[in-house]
Amino acid sequence: MSHYLSQVIDDGLEVLKIIRSHSPIPVIIVSARNDVRTKIEGFRLGTDDYIVKPFSIDELIMRIKAILRRSHKVEETSCAQTEIKNGPIRLIKSSRKCFIRDQEVRLNDKEWRLLEILMKDPGAVIPHEKLLTAVWGVEFSTEVQYLRVCFARIRKKFEDLGFDGSVISAYSGVGYILRDLRDEEEDGLI
C-alpha cells in the first residue's frame, strides 16, 4: 500500500495537505528526511509531530499518546463551552441536546447534526449536497428524500412543543434554510 501511495503521491507533504483540507485528525510525519526545512514545512502544513527514521517504537508510542491526550483535552474544552443559539433554539454540543425556550427537543443523531449545520449559519440556504455529505457521507449526496424525511421530523418535534416548524424551509432543488431568529427574539416577535 505504501509503495502504491508513494507512486501516486510522490511527497508525504502533499498527503498532509490533502488530509488537512478534509480533517483536523492528528498527524505524525514519520520520515527519513532529517533536514530542518522539511520539518518546518511539515509543521507549517499542520503536522502535530515529526519523527525521523530510524526511531524507537516506544518513542513513537509515547508521541502518539501525547498527541491523543492533547487533542482529547482540546476537544473536551471546546465541546464543554460550545453552545449554538438562534433565538429561542439552543444546541449544546457537549451533551448533544437541543432546547427551545428551555424545553428539550429530543433529536436523533442525524436530526441533531442537520440542525447543527443550519444553526451555524442561520438565514443562509445550505445546499442539499453539503447537508447530505456531512451527515450521511459523499455516497448519499443525491438522496434528497433523506433530508425531506429528517426535516419533516424536526419540524414536527418543534410543533409538538408549540414552536413554529416552518422556521426550517426547503428551497426546491437547492437546499434548506433555518430562519435567523436572533432579532425576532429581541423584538419579542417569537
Side-chain angles (χ1 to χ4, degrees):
M1 176 67 177
S2 121
H3 176 68
Y4 172 75
L5 187 60
S6 67
Q7 288 179 338
V8 175
I9 302 174
D10 194 29
D11 185 356
L13 295 177
E14 288 300 315
V15 174
L16 179 60
K17 285 180 191 176
I18 293 166
I19 291 170
R20 281 294 170 251
S21 71
H22 297 291
S23 173
I25 189 168
V27 173
I28 297 175
I29 292 178
V30 176
S31 176
R33 297 167 99 181
N34 195 17
D35 61 289
V36 173
R37 285 193 333 204
T38 303
K39 290 178 184 179
I40 289 172
E41 183 65 7
F43 283 110
R44 191 186 67 73
L45 292 173
T47 191
D48 296 280
D49 203 347
Y50 193 108
I51 190 167
V52 178
K53 298 177 195 175
F55 57 89
S56 152
I57 293 296
D58 291 335
E59 179 185 2
L60 178 61
I61 290 169
M62 295 312 292
R63 287 174 183 260
I64 291 169
K65 286 180 178 179
I67 286 174
L68 291 175
R69 202 172 40 247
R70 282 192 309 268
S71 66
H72 185 65
K73 284 179 186 173
V74 168
E75 190 176 290
E76 282 178 357
T77 303
S78 63
C79 283
Q81 298 172 351
T82 304
E83 178 177 296
I84 305 171
K85 195 167 184 329
N86 179 20
I89 306 171
R90 209 167 33 107
L91 290 181
I92 301 170
K93 293 181 85 171
S94 60
S95 60
R96 294 184 67 86
K97 290 189 177 185
C98 174
F99 294 91
I100 295 180
R101 296 188 193 104
D102 297 323
Q103 290 183 294
E104 186 176 353
V105 182
R106 297 206 176 266
L107 301 174
N108 69 33
D109 178 64
K110 296 206 182 317
E111 294 164 350
W112 198 93
R113 290 166 59 196
L114 285 170
L115 186 57
E116 178 187 26
I117 294 167
L118 294 182
M119 290 277 291
K120 286 179 177 177
D121 201 1
V125 177
I126 310 299
H128 295 133
E129 184 178 355
K130 179 177 180 178
L131 294 165
L132 288 161
T133 300
V135 175
W136 281 275
V138 71
E139 62 274 14
F140 295 95
S141 64
T142 60
E143 303 295 333
V144 178
Q145 70 275 13
Y146 289 17
L147 296 173
R148 288 188 196 112
V149 170
C150 265
F151 282 122
R153 286 194 312 247
I154 294 170
R155 288 187 192 110
K156 170 93 171 74
K157 290 175 182 186
F158 281 10
E159 290 163 358
D160 288 348
L161 294 175
F163 191 70
D164 183 9
S166 71
V167 296
I168 298 174
S169 303
Y171 277 74
S172 185
V174 180
Y176 283 82
I177 185 172
L178 173 65
R179 196 167 76 225
D180 190 340
L181 304 171
R182 293 172 290 195
D183 292 335
E184 293 178 34
E185 183 180 43
E186 289 173 8
D187 297 338
L189 299 174
I190 53 173

